[in-house]
Amino acid sequence: MADVNRDSAVGGWARAVTARPRLTLLLALLFTALAVVAGSGVADRLASGGWEAPDSESSYATAALADHFPASQPNLVLLVDGRGTAVDSPAVAAQGRELASRLAADPDITGVTSYWDTHAPVLRARDGGSAMITARIKGDDDAIATSVKRIAPAYRGTHGPVEVSVGGSAAVRHELQSTIQDDLVKAEMIALPVTLVLLVMVFGSAIAALLPLGVGIIAILGTNAVLRGITSFTDVSVFAQNLTTALGLGLAIDYALFIVRRFREELAAGRTPRAAVGVTLRTAGRTVLFSALTVAASLSAMLVFPQYFLRSFAYAGIAVVLLAAAAALVVLPACLVLLGPRVNALDLRKVLRRRPASDPGAGYAAFARLVMRRAPVFAIGAVAGLLLLGLPFLQVRFGTADDRQLPSAAESHVVQQHIRQEFPGSPDGAITVLAQGADSSQLAGYRKQVAALPGVVRVEPPVVAPDSGAAYLTVLPKGEAVDDGTQQLVGTIRAVPADFRASVTGQSAVLVDTKHAIAQRLPWAAGIIALVTLLLVFLLTGSAVIPLQAVLLNALSLTAMFGAVVWVFQDGHLSGLLGFTATGSIETTLPVLMFCVAFGLSMDYGVFLLSRIKEEYDRNGDHEAAIEFGLKRTGGLITAAAVILAVVMVAIGTSRVANTKMLGLGIALAVLMDAMVVRTLLVPAVMRLTGRATWWAPPVLRRFHERFGISEGGGAAPDGTKAPHSPKEPRSPEPATRT
């Protein structure tokens, strides 16, 4: 009865979708137009930060220092070069003072500090050829971005005897934002035509090839509107736009491939277009829905983290996945009803085809038989190979994002690199201690204790703000900010007893707090992904074994990605070829992001394969024949979808921003490894080794699945026997067209 009720519900859904297809398309067009209006200007409202944990000690101290000591937290740097003349010369000094005075008069600026006013050694290059003016732009991220747009052009360039370049964290973030926006346009210009060509090759029809692009455009524009709304009450990272484009196109292609493939099968079986759409929604449609829920669950796990950088990808990812599924399950069926057999029209491959197309599924079936005959060899070999590729990740070093994400020619990168190399001391390595409620004797005693700690070079005298009762001390460590010793020193300083409130910040403290926040919430995120995946795969298959296999094999498929991330982006191999600056570390939040996205996409392909295996197993009860059938029917589809998605991700990976490049190229590698190694080698080999036990479930879970489970073939009958294929729905012949 449960299966009948489910089929009735899906049948009602199919009738609702296909009853008035023209009205459905008109409403979809109206939705898209409204999304364009609602999402306009979203890029200008996105922020370029979000890596820090907002509830951490370092975030509190940074904000308090910005309030009480704005000069201690500069986010704008004017690098003044004497153009061959020493910065202490009268002409250069006069111009430097004039620039500092003009900057201090700006109402959006506070805490201006210049070398010519303070003669601080840290503000003058070792060779005396350049010096700095530092300041803090007031306001939130939006206000700072607006001020940078106004201020930078007014100071950049030649001013009398000096040349001025603009840097600092505010300039870095502004340049990151503009670079990402420009790169995203370039990625779309690369991805769309290449994707269209590949879709024509896969579908064999220009008409069919346009359908996934339509689904993707709806998902992308709709998600931009969602993000525009979310920016009204919380920060959203500019990097989320890259995920929107990649997933919008990639998942639209996945879902459209699966639905159009099934629709063509049903047309080939002699059904009318409306009936073919109904069967397609009852079978492939439910699989697409399950797949979308699985991907959305993987992405939703990022909501448990406090950093808005990670949360932004959850906002964008969940929205684009659900919108892509909705478009594929509502708009696409309406198009198919209207097109009918014309979905195969305009076969552009005819000019290249010299002989009748063969069934590409036969090759996957033959390969599945080979893998199952030598299952232990293929299983051990594939697992060993993936683990070997993942070994470099054991040497991962985590760091924080900085100007080196930008291309080497970017102005703010050039400025920060010059400061890093030519000015005394590390611009990022200092540890700052905010002291609140301390008198002079307490500060003196505390400074003496901190100065005696191992790894401390010196502690600068405290800077006091008498009106606020606050002060801060600058601790200069022996190592760089990302060094393990410097991170340990942060913990040691925090353990020093004090009779006042002492809060530690600085780049190394931010890194320590970020790693702690991620480590604290990572088990929750992993638990959400694992539990939801186990539940959804169980509802799809009715097996207690297959969900465990799916989770383990999916995780294994990501090893190559993580190994490559360390070998390439941390250690710098191929940095010249790929055009980025290696920093010797990986930004702490990126592996979490890449895991959630890549795991979800891998489960996307896993659901497609398992649904067809389950369908055939329900029909004939032959375990090995079901594996062969599943790979035969979906092997080419999964490979094609993975290649097209990899093209989209590689287009994203052409970005000039290192983190975006890492995200795009890393996920492209993960997708290809999953489709070509895990789905074609490991899944059939492991399922062959577990044999009929693959479908085992304890009685209580079997009864639960009989009541609530969903599969393409309709699941088990109420009496526990395999549900035979309905005589009203004959098994579809193998399609002659290639998909």
Side-chain angles (χ1 to χ4, degrees):
M1 182 63 68
D3 289 325
V4 173
N5 291 337
R6 287 196 299 270
D7 287 343
S8 298
V10 176
W13 165 33
R15 286 191 295 273
V17 169
T18 61
R20 304 183 69 180
R22 289 181 176 82
L23 178 60
T24 300
L25 294 182
L26 180 62
L27 292 175
L29 183 62
L30 178 62
F31 169 83
T32 305
L34 291 174
V36 170
V37 175
S40 62
V42 63
D44 295 331
R45 297 179 63 87
L46 301 179
S48 54
W51 292 283
E52 304 88 358
D55 55 350
S56 64
E57 178 180 323
S58 58
S59 293
Y60 166 78
T62 299
L65 284 167
D67 289 338
H68 300 305
F69 306 96
S72 72
Q73 300 288 300
N75 55 15
L76 180 70
V77 173
L78 300 184
L79 179 63
V80 182
D81 184 82
R83 301 167 65 189
T85 303
V87 295
D88 290 313
S89 67
V92 173
Q95 186 63 57
R97 291 190 185 95
E98 192 277 330
L99 289 169
S101 298
R102 181 150 62 99
L103 189 64
D106 193 302
D108 295 329
I109 295 292
T110 186
V112 176
T113 305
S114 114
Y115 164 72
W116 295 279
D117 293 326
T118 65
H119 295 285
V122 294
L123 296 177
R124 177 181 179 273
R126 295 185 185 92
D127 63 2
S130 58
M132 287 189 287
I133 301 171
T134 64
R136 182 166 187 84
I137 302 177
K138 296 183 289 187
D140 57 16
D141 286 345
D142 289 340
I144 290 172
T146 301
S147 296
V148 170
K149 290 181 185 179
R150 175 179 58 82
I151 291 170
Y155 289 88
R156 178 186 297 119
T158 302
H159 296 263
V162 303
E163 186 78 20
V164 178
S165 302
V166 181
S169 61
V172 169
R173 291 190 175 192
H174 173 66
E175 206 156 0
L176 269 175
Q177 192 166 11
S178 60
T179 302
I180 288 172
Q181 291 175 18
D182 293 343
D183 289 348
L184 187 59
V185 173
K186 181 182 70 174
E188 291 171 346
M189 293 178 65
I190 294 172
L192 284 173
V194 175
T195 298
L196 183 59
V197 170
L198 292 174
L199 285 171
V200 170
M201 295 174 62
V202 171
F203 279 114
S205 160
I207 298 297
L210 291 172
L211 296 175
L213 293 183
V215 172
I217 289 171
I218 292 173
I220 292 170
L221 294 177
T223 301
N224 284 340
V226 171
L227 292 180
R228 175 65 175 79
I230 293 175
T231 59
S232 300
F233 54 86
T234 189
D235 291 319
V236 178
S237 171
V238 67
F239 289 90
Q241 273 200 306
N242 295 293
L243 186 69
T244 297
T245 298
L247 285 187
L249 284 176
L251 292 175
I253 290 165
D254 288 355
Y255 299 157
L257 276 172
F258 205 60
I259 288 175
V260 173
R261 166 70 178 261
R262 190 61 182 242
F263 176 73
R264 282 173 153 178
E265 290 181 11
E266 300 304 328
L267 282 182
R271 298 185 189 280
T272 65
R274 196 177 301 275
V277 167
V279 175
T280 298
L281 290 178
R282 184 177 62 81
T283 56
R286 290 194 292 195
T287 300
V288 165
L289 182 59
F290 259 59
S291 173
L293 292 175
T294 306
V295 178
S298 294
L299 296 172
S300 69
M302 287 184 284
L303 291 173
V304 306
F305 296 100
Q307 295 92 337
Y308 79 75
F309 175 77
L310 288 175
R311 298 173 70 88
S312 299
F313 286 95
Y315 305 145
I318 294 171
V320 79
V321 168
L322 297 182
L323 285 170
L329 297 175
V330 177
V331 181
L332 183 57
C335 291
L336 294 176
V337 169
L338 294 175
L339 286 172
R342 292 192 299 274
V343 74
N344 299 316
L346 298 181
D347 187 352
L348 302 182
R349 297 179 308 180
K350 289 180 180 179
V351 296
L352 303 176
R353 188 183 298 141
R354 297 183 179 180
R355 57 189 176 88
S358 59
D359 177 15
Y364 285 97
F367 189 73
R369 291 193 295 271
L370 172 63
V371 170
M372 287 189 287
R373 282 199 302 271
R374 301 287 187 270
V377 174
F378 281 102
I380 294 173
V383 170
L386 290 172
L387 291 177
L388 182 64
L389 291 173
L391 284 179
F393 194 70
L394 297 178
Q395 305 300 319
V396 66
R397 297 180 68 227
F398 294 110
T400 54
D402 59 24
D403 59 281
R404 286 170 289 184
Q405 289 187 79
L406 288 165
S408 57
E411 180 186 24
S412 57
H413 183 176
V414 172
V415 169
Q416 297 302 117
Q417 190 68 11
H418 183 76
I419 295 171
R420 206 175 278 118
Q421 295 174 347
E422 303 298 333
F423 282 70
S426 169
D428 305 317
I431 299 171
T432 304
V433 181
L434 172 68
Q436 294 174 293
D439 57 34
S440 58
S441 61
Q442 289 173 325
L443 285 174
Y446 183 81
R447 179 190 177 198
K448 184 176 181 180
Q449 285 181 282
V450 173
L453 296 175
V456 174
V457 175
R458 70 177 184 274
V459 181
E460 300 290 350
V463 178
V464 181
D467 295 339
S468 65
Y472 74 89
L473 301 94
T474 301
V475 182
L476 300 180
K478 291 181 180 178
E480 295 292 328
V482 297
D483 289 350
D484 292 339
T486 307
Q487 294 180 55
Q488 293 173 4
L489 179 59
V490 169
T492 305
I493 293 174
R494 286 174 170 171
V496 172
D499 296 327
F500 51 88
R501 181 174 183 176
S503 306
V504 181
T505 188
Q507 185 173 324
S508 52
V510 169
L511 177 57
V512 169
D513 290 341
T514 301
K515 289 166 64 176
H516 174 72
I518 289 177
Q520 191 177 44
R521 293 164 175 82
L522 193 59
W524 289 98
I528 290 171
I529 293 174
L531 288 175
V532 175
T533 300
L534 290 171
L535 175 62
L536 290 175
V537 176
F538 169 75
L539 291 175
L540 183 70
T541 63
S543 164
V545 177
I546 292 178
L548 295 173
Q549 290 179 351
V551 170
L552 293 176
L553 295 184
N554 270 30
L556 189 62
S557 71
L558 307 184
T559 53
M561 175 185 73
F562 285 127
V565 160
V566 171
W567 191 78
V568 175
F569 290 93
Q570 174 182 293
D571 299 340
H573 298 99
L574 307 180
S575 59
L577 177 65
L578 297 177
F580 68 91
T581 302
T583 62
S585 62
I586 300 296
E587 203 284 316
T588 313
T589 59
L590 271 179
V592 176
L593 167 64
M594 296 175 75
F595 175 84
C596 292
V597 174
F599 188 93
L601 292 174
S602 297
M603 278 308 306
D604 191 41
Y605 300 139
V607 167
F608 289 168
L609 175 59
L610 291 173
S611 66
R612 295 311 292 262
I613 293 176
K614 169 65 173 174
E615 177 184 359
E616 185 66 9
Y617 184 72
D618 283 347
R619 288 177 177 174
N620 60 29
D622 188 326
H623 177 64
E624 293 187 23
I627 297 172
E628 178 185 334
F629 173 84
L631 200 58
K632 179 178 181 179
R633 285 297 181 91
T634 64
L637 182 150
I638 290 173
T639 301
V643 169
I644 295 173
L645 179 56
V647 167
V648 176
M649 296 307 305
V650 168
I652 297 295
T654 61
S655 172
R656 293 165 292 169
V657 176
N659 280 356
T660 305
K661 190 184 298 290
M662 185 191 311
L663 177 68
L665 298 181
I667 292 178
L669 176 61
V671 165
L672 292 175
M673 294 298 293
D674 181 77
M676 298 179 180
V677 176
V678 174
R679 301 302 150 204
T680 57
L681 288 178
L682 268 179
V683 169
V686 171
M687 291 186 76
R688 168 64 179 82
L689 290 174
T690 53
R692 303 262 312 194
T694 302
W695 304 99
W696 175 84
V700 62
L701 290 181
R702 188 169 296 280
R703 288 192 295 271
F704 182 85
H705 180 263
E706 288 167 3
R707 182 172 178 81
F708 299 106
I710 296 178
S711 66
E712 286 205 13
D719 61 0
T721 61
K722 301 299 175 187
H725 188 66
S726 171
K728 295 181 181 179
E729 297 175 9
R731 181 169 166 177
S732 304
E734 300 301 323
T737 56
R738 183 171 141 206
T739 59

